[in-house]
Every structure is written in structure tokens, then in C-alpha cells.
Amino acid sequence: MMSSRFTIHMVASLDGFIAKKGGSIDWLQSNDSFENGLVLTEQDIETFLGNIDCYIMGSKTYEHALKLDWPYGDKPIIVVTSRKLKKEKGSVDFYYGSLEQLVGNLKQHYQNIWIVGGAMLTKAFLRLKLADDIVISFMPILLGDGLHFFDYVGQEQPLHLKDIKAYKDGMVELWYEIRK
């Protein structure tokens, strides 16, 4: 069996919200300018995304991503859901079972698996101790209200800071390894 890593990735406001109350994410684009920040080129983004083997997301994230410019290309995507959803992308499969079984199955086929939302799925991965890393990108905004990224996980989990990056648009990315 190959060595696999499960990485939770989320973009949040500085006060920890991933969406406004009505679900809007119009705040994700920043007009801020940080003089010393990194500038991402198309090549940087392409190289980074090329290293991801598979994505996992919840059903609401899937429905939201379909309305946006689908950023996942043709990579395999597992949508964890309890609802019957319409398959609108060829690379999407729906999963209705336990997360432990899903993780076991994916470990046999993929190395770099990213969990990209939403809040309920993220908390379930953390509670079950199935994630290896958390990458959280904070945008330079306080929303004041909305859907929290981490609300009431219900357990303490020590983390180890692996990397920090600050970008030209004011976004700051923190990469943590989850200590087990």
C-alpha cells in the first residue's frame, strides 16, 4: 500500500468564516496589496494542482463549485453525501458510506488527497483523526458572521507548523501537520 496523506484545505476570513450567512463567498477576491507578498504565476498554480491526486468534498461544496468556475479539472473527486445528486462532471463519484472505509479505499489508489470542504465534512475528518494536514488560507477580511470553518470540533488536537506563506493579495497561508 502506498503512503497517502489527507490534507484539509479551506479559505477563511480572518475571523474563521468560510461563507457569509446566505452562503456567499464573494469576499474571496482581495484588493489588498502586501508589498513583500508572493505572486503566484499560472505555472506555480499548475504545478501545485498537478501534485494533488484526488479531492474529497461535501455535497454542498460540490453544488457550490458547479456554479463557479470548476477549479478541479478532470481530477477524481469524491463527493461525500447522504443525498441523491446529479452527476454533472465525469470525474465525480458520490460516496454514501463511512469515512473510515473511504479513507481505506483511497489509500490504495492515491497519495495526495485533499479535502476541500465543507465544514461538516472537515469536522468529521478531524474528529475521526483521518486527516494528516490542515492548510488554511486567511483572506484579509473580517466577516463578523457566517459559516465557521472550525466550530466545536469537540477535541483537542496538537498541530505542528510546517509552512507559512504570505501573498501579494494579503492572503496568508498556514500549513499544519496534525500530531497523532
Side-chain angles (χ1 to χ4, degrees):
M1 193 176 335
M2 61 180 80
S3 174
S4 299
R5 292 201 66 83
F6 288 79
T7 301
I8 293 171
H9 179 251
M10 192 71 69
V11 179
S13 62
L14 188 58
D15 50 353
F17 295 104
I18 59 173
K20 290 181 180 178
K21 263 196 174 187
S24 171
I25 56 169
D26 60 356
W27 53 273
L28 285 175
Q29 298 300 317
S30 172
N31 294 324
D32 195 24
S33 180
F34 175 53
E35 184 178 318
N36 297 323
L38 300 170
V39 176
L40 283 175
T41 66
E42 289 296 321
Q43 181 63 41
D44 294 335
I45 295 168
E46 188 176 308
T47 300
F48 175 77
L49 293 177
N51 290 323
I52 298 172
D53 300 320
C54 177
Y55 293 98
I56 303 172
M57 66 181 64
S59 60
K60 291 178 187 171
T61 301
Y62 168 69
E63 290 172 326
H64 201 71
L66 287 172
K67 296 176 188 173
L68 302 173
D69 184 23
W70 185 259
Y72 306 105
D74 293 331
K75 295 273 177 147
I77 295 176
I78 309 300
V79 177
V80 178
T81 185
S82 59
R83 302 181 288 141
K84 294 289 182 192
L85 298 171
K86 182 179 178 186
K87 184 172 180 168
E88 297 192 33
K89 297 287 181 182
S91 60
V92 171
D93 286 310
F94 299 107
Y95 182 78
Y96 306 96
S98 78
L99 291 181
E100 294 95 341
Q101 187 174 4
L102 174 64
V103 166
N105 292 341
L106 292 178
K107 281 183 175 183
Q108 296 176 26
H109 303 284
Y110 304 107
Q111 287 184 293
N112 195 7
I113 302 129
W114 279 53
I115 303 137
V116 294
M120 291 180 3
L121 183 64
T122 297
K123 286 188 284 190
F125 265 86
L126 289 171
R127 285 182 184 133
L128 295 169
K129 300 191 183 300
L130 297 174
D132 300 296
D133 295 291
I134 299 172
V135 176
I136 184 162
S137 302
F138 287 105
M139 296 302 291
I141 189 168
L142 297 170
L143 292 179
D145 200 0
L147 178 62
H148 268 277
F149 178 31
F150 292 131
D151 64 338
Y152 311 108
V153 173
Q155 62 193 17
E156 185 175 308
Q157 293 207 338
L159 305 173
H160 167 71
L161 183 62
K162 289 172 67 171
D163 197 8
I164 298 173
K165 292 180 182 165
Y167 295 93
K168 199 74 156 169
D169 66 355
M171 180 179 75
V172 176
E173 180 182 273
L174 303 174
W175 191 313
Y176 289 99
E177 180 178 27
I178 299 171
R179 297 262 168 105
K180 299 191 178 186

